[in-house]
Amino acid sequence: MNLRKFAPVAALLAVLAASTLIVPCAGAQVSMVGASDPVYTWLERQRVAGFAPDFSYEMLPLSRGTIVSLLDGINKHRDRLSRTDRELLASFAREFSADSLAASKSDTYLQGWDSTLVSSVKRKLKLFASDREPHMYVYSDSESNAAVDFRWSVGSFSQKIGTNSISEKYGWANLHTYGTIYNSLGFDVDGINAYSDNGAYIRRVPHYAAAATSDSATQSSVLYAQAYASWKHRDLGLDIGDGAPRVGLGGQESVILRSQAPNYPWVRLSFTRKHIQFIEMYGALAGPSADTVIAGLPSSTYIDRWFALHRIQLRPT
């Protein structure tokens, strides 16, 4: 990502954030949630069921505050949800709620220690085994909040068909930090290192495959990272990011790029009311050039391609 291109936008974000310190919106959650987060797939199903008519899966990502508002709306239909969906609703509410974040700051992996080591270790093990949304560290007050998370997973897969056998060991490690400053400026930085002994796991996950640096089918590891900065004041919003937003007619569709598109820098301006939403978005793409005969240039050069998106959505109900 060429940060110099977005330096004026970053400066504008800082000015806008400073201007809103006078009249902050208490408890706001402005930070973005990456478009590959599983909450969007679940929200899409709830929209189809009629429980989340305001969910706009045609333009992702959304802010944590917007997701919480959608979850609150679905909760009004709680009695009509299946048992599984009620459990998922409770899980997502714990994950995205500002109140849950504030309540957890006294009991994270780095905060909330007892007077004895044995008691503290038991407490952390209990936190690890709970169905809560555990954090490494949390900061929260009336104007700002931030969280740092670290997660990891390992697994193995084996299958035998006739005389042929297939086996794979895979896993990932994730470092994620996000938050809102002075109830107006949000940030989200997410990095995942995924690995597989034969590359199959990386090829199965679209955003991992998009981040692969080699065309080899056996690439064993990949680093996937995305970052967003956001400003929100009442009906106006401004977001900049280095990620792969989804723009289309479904959770997995994309008008601009396919679901395995790599991350790219973009800027998005939005105006949202109950019955209308306007979005102006600009992005920068880069693709390799096959031209290898120009003297003084490397064998593979990259040419920027800019695009613009203008979108108006009417919401009659």
Side-chain angles (χ1 to χ4, degrees):
M1 177 178 180
N2 190 342
L3 296 179
R4 290 180 298 176
K5 295 179 179 179
F6 292 101
V9 180
L12 177 60
L13 275 170
V15 173
L16 292 173
S19 70
T20 58
L21 300 184
I22 303 175
V23 285
C25 178
Q29 291 200 89
V30 187
S31 59
M32 292 285 107
V33 177
S36 59
D37 194 284
V39 69
Y40 294 122
T41 302
W42 186 79
L43 286 173
E44 182 181 359
R45 286 201 297 110
Q46 303 312 310
R47 171 172 166 170
V48 173
F51 302 142
D54 292 335
F55 174 51
S56 180
Y57 55 62
E58 295 87 356
M59 175 57 76
L60 302 178
L62 303 177
S63 70
R64 302 180 78 86
T66 299
I67 291 175
V68 169
S69 296
L70 293 167
L71 295 175
D72 289 343
I74 296 172
N75 191 53
K76 297 177 181 178
H77 307 280
R78 182 181 184 85
D79 294 340
R80 300 172 60 188
L81 298 177
S82 67
R83 178 181 177 181
T84 299
D85 281 337
R86 287 196 299 269
E87 292 177 352
L88 287 172
L89 174 62
S91 176
F92 287 133
R94 288 192 298 268
E95 179 179 355
F96 295 105
S97 169
D99 293 337
S100 295
L101 186 65
S104 66
K105 69 179 182 180
S106 61
D107 192 16
T108 70
Y109 290 126
L110 297 179
Q111 297 163 287
W113 294 87
D114 295 335
S115 57
T116 65
L117 179 60
V118 174
S119 177
S120 296
V121 170
K122 289 181 178 179
R123 182 175 178 177
K124 300 311 172 184
L125 290 175
K126 184 178 179 181
L127 175 64
F128 178 79
S130 70
D131 61 352
R132 293 169 46 190
E133 181 70 17
H135 302 282
M136 290 293 294
Y137 181 84
V138 169
Y139 173 83
S140 179
D141 61 25
S142 61
E143 295 181 335
S144 304
N145 61 67
V148 178
D149 297 333
F150 178 77
R151 303 181 180 91
W152 56 271
S153 176
V154 295
S156 63
F157 169 83
S158 63
Q159 183 179 17
K160 187 173 183 179
I161 304 176
T163 58
N164 298 322
S165 61
I166 302 173
S167 63
E168 178 186 15
K169 296 179 181 179
Y170 59 90
W172 52 264
N174 171 221
L175 181 62
H176 182 205
T177 181
Y178 62 89
T180 298
I181 303 172
Y182 293 118
N183 295 312
S184 59
L185 185 63
F187 65 90
D188 187 289
V189 180
D190 193 12
I192 302 175
N193 180 248
Y195 62 90
S196 169
D197 59 355
N198 61 16
Y201 172 64
I202 293 175
R203 296 194 303 274
R204 287 198 302 269
V205 182
H207 49 283
Y208 294 166
T213 57
S214 171
D215 293 332
S216 172
T218 61
Q219 182 171 346
S220 60
S221 65
V222 64
L223 175 62
Y224 175 80
Q226 55 186 342
Y228 305 97
S230 312
W231 169 82
K232 177 71 174 177
H233 183 61
R234 297 180 180 176
D235 300 325
L236 290 176
L238 179 64
D239 311 308
I240 63 174
D242 188 8
R246 291 178 180 170
V247 183
L249 301 177
Q252 301 297 326
E253 300 300 326
S254 178
V255 171
I256 297 176
L257 295 173
R258 62 195 179 100
S259 61
Q260 292 189 3
N263 291 356
Y264 58 93
W266 52 269
V267 180
R268 181 176 67 186
L269 176 67
S270 63
F271 174 79
T272 304
R273 298 295 295 270
K274 180 175 178 57
H275 299 298
I276 188 172
Q277 181 186 62
F278 172 76
I279 290 177
E280 186 87 0
M281 179 177 172
Y282 299 90
L285 306 178
S289 171
D291 191 349
T292 59
V293 297
I294 300 178
L297 290 181
S299 59
S300 181
T301 59
Y302 294 84
I303 302 174
D304 288 339
R305 295 172 173 84
W306 290 82
F307 68 85
L309 171 70
H310 323 282
R311 181 175 184 270
I312 296 178
Q313 182 182 32
L314 301 177
R315 303 168 177 172
T317 58

